[in-house]
Amino acid sequence: MSKLGQLGNALHRGDVSYDFIGKRKVWFVVSIALVLISLGGLFARGLELGIEFRGGVEYEAKTQITSGTVQKFTDAVKAANIEGLGDPVVTTINNERVRVQTKPLSQDDVPKVRAVVAKEAGISPDQVTSNQIGASWGNQIANKAIWALAVFILLVFFVIWAYFREPKASAAAIIALVHDVLITVGVYALIGFDVTPATVIGVLTILGYSLYDTVVVFDKIRENTRGITGSNRFTYSDATNLAVNQTIVRSINTTLIALLPVGSILVVGTWVLGSGPLKDLSLALFVGIAVGAYSSIFVAPALLASFKEREPGMQALNRRVTAKKAQSQGGTAKKAVESELVPAAPGASPVQDRPRATGSVPAPSTRPMNAGGAGRPQPSRKPRSKRGK
């Protein structure tokens, strides 16, 4: 059996344990810091909206695609020095066409960019297609995405409530979900990737990954805490920590298996294709899956334990468990003291004459002994001459 499998079995049995819940303040501080950095990136730099959201002009031309095609077309369009052009977005399509996207341009500037693209592609300007994209379509997509996110969160809240019969579980899962979305969007703002409809799809997709891991951990918590108030062995935090340890190997394996193909798509979309839907989609998925795994292990269970331990029943359970532990430690110490031997008196034999630590030493017997002063006492018998008379 592999070492990871042995570790997973030891964690599931409770032989090995890491105090995730006991260090909840550390995880909360880390999460708050990440969220603040993400919000700072959003307010300071903002999101780089793609052409679908901000509007612009899109050009397509047929050309021979090589490894330097994207860079050549980018440099050629920039060299036109058209006012308000910005940084063009150049992508390739099926290794036979090139697409150039720019910011909204005036009617006089559109033919200039078409001529530059045609010259670089080695074709006539009439063979280059151009389309004006209005920002209203992007606004419609953004509004629908926000509505979809709000409806999704609302439905998730009630579904988790109905499944676990615990509104605090729903609250913890939703907070972790919002935490994942904010950090993912913040990464887009800090890195400067364009936000496109593919990005919106990726952000909505990561919600499922995050909730999947969270529900798995919560289900194990429910199993470990069933009837917990009727005993005094574990607190709710203890049972929650055990559940996290029992599921952490599964969560890590699932996350790694999901991140490997997504990471490959991200590498291809960024360094091979240069830009496009693959890059936008894969970045959202990669960051969202990684952050979702973190929140499912460190954030959501800790939030649930914090919410539950505010209940009077759980507080009474904590007091009983604490009292039992103190009593058990006191009893162990008392037994250790009583088991020690009392030092021997001066002149006494180190073993035979040493009094016992507990109990009393029995008094010597006064019954007559046989000859030699040893053995069992014998009854008195008549002389042989008088026997039988």
Side-chain angles (χ1 to χ4, degrees):
M1 185 182 295
S2 64
K3 293 183 178 180
L4 185 59
Q6 293 176 354
L7 177 61
N9 292 332
L11 289 169
H12 193 273
R13 293 191 305 266
D15 298 338
V16 179
S17 179
Y18 182 79
D19 193 6
F20 292 97
I21 305 302
K23 294 180 174 59
R24 72 186 78 176
K25 292 183 179 180
V26 176
W27 319 134
F28 291 163
V29 170
V30 172
S31 295
I32 292 173
L34 291 175
V35 170
L36 290 178
I37 293 173
S38 300
L39 292 176
L42 284 173
F43 288 111
R45 299 190 57 179
L47 294 172
E48 292 290 338
L49 298 179
I51 189 174
E52 295 86 356
F53 292 100
R54 54 179 168 79
V57 185
E58 183 177 86
Y59 305 87
E60 283 191 16
K62 188 174 182 179
T63 185
Q64 185 68 31
I65 304 299
T66 63
S67 59
T69 298
V70 173
Q71 190 62 43
K72 287 194 304 181
F73 275 84
T74 302
D75 295 338
V77 174
K78 284 184 178 180
N81 294 323
I82 298 175
E83 184 178 358
L85 180 66
D87 293 329
V89 178
V90 181
T91 57
T92 58
I93 305 173
N94 296 330
N95 290 326
E96 62 180 12
R97 299 183 68 84
V98 65
R99 175 186 295 163
V100 180
Q101 295 177 335
T102 67
K103 292 183 178 181
L105 301 175
S106 64
Q107 294 295 330
D108 297 332
D109 292 332
V110 172
K112 296 179 182 179
V113 178
R114 183 189 294 114
V116 172
V117 173
K119 180 180 179 181
E120 194 64 32
I123 58 178
S124 65
D126 295 339
Q127 294 177 296
V128 178
T129 60
S130 61
N131 296 313
Q132 292 275 359
I133 300 176
S136 59
W137 184 76
N139 292 332
Q140 293 176 3
I141 293 180
N143 292 332
K144 290 181 179 179
I146 293 174
W147 273 106
L149 180 62
V151 172
F152 179 83
I153 290 177
L154 187 63
L155 290 176
V156 165
F157 182 87
F158 287 106
V159 168
I160 295 180
W161 188 350
Y163 181 70
F164 292 104
R165 302 183 185 277
E166 177 57 71
K168 294 180 177 65
S170 299
I174 296 303
I175 292 174
L177 196 63
V178 175
H179 161 276
D180 300 343
V181 173
L182 286 177
I183 293 178
T184 303
V185 176
V187 169
Y188 263 86
L190 294 172
I191 295 179
F193 274 26
D194 288 341
V195 176
T196 64
T199 305
V200 176
I201 294 172
V203 171
L204 294 177
T205 304
I206 66 173
L207 303 181
Y209 279 100
S210 177
L211 283 175
Y212 175 75
D213 280 343
T214 301
V215 169
V216 168
V217 178
F218 280 8
D219 194 59
K220 196 63 180 179
I221 292 174
R222 180 177 63 175
E223 179 182 337
N224 291 350
T225 58
R226 186 177 288 113
I228 192 173
T229 54
S231 65
N232 56 358
R233 296 179 58 194
F234 304 106
T235 64
Y236 195 92
S237 291
D238 294 335
T240 301
N241 191 71
L242 177 60
V244 176
N245 280 274
Q246 289 174 329
T247 56
I248 185 172
V249 173
R250 181 183 184 279
S251 298
I252 292 175
N253 289 338
T254 304
T255 302
L256 290 177
I257 292 173
L259 285 178
L260 287 176
V262 173
S264 301
I265 296 173
L266 179 61
V267 171
V268 172
T270 304
W271 283 281
V272 178
L273 299 181
S275 60
L278 281 180
K279 182 187 72 172
D280 304 331
L281 176 63
S282 59
L283 179 64
L285 289 176
F286 190 88
V287 176
I289 292 173
V291 177
Y294 163 78
S295 66
S296 299
I297 297 172
F298 298 96
V299 179
L303 284 172
L304 178 58
S306 299
F307 293 157
K308 289 291 293 183
E309 289 195 339
R310 295 180 182 180
E311 298 178 358
M314 295 303 170
Q315 292 177 354
L317 174 63
N318 290 347
R319 290 192 293 269
R320 293 199 308 270
V321 173
T322 302
K324 182 180 179 181
K325 289 181 179 179
Q327 182 180 3
S328 176
Q329 293 174 358
T332 303
K334 183 178 179 181
K335 289 180 180 179
V337 172
E338 291 178 348
S339 63
E340 295 179 358
L341 297 177
V342 178
S349 174
V351 176
Q352 296 178 355
D353 296 336
R354 182 175 297 176
R356 299 181 182 179
T358 59
S360 58
V361 179
S365 175
T366 57
R367 299 176 62 183
M369 305 294 289
N370 60 351
R376 294 173 54 190
Q378 302 294 328
S380 58
R381 304 178 66 182
K382 295 180 181 181
R384 187 181 296 272
S385 59
K386 296 183 179 182
R387 292 178 187 174
K389 294 182 179 181

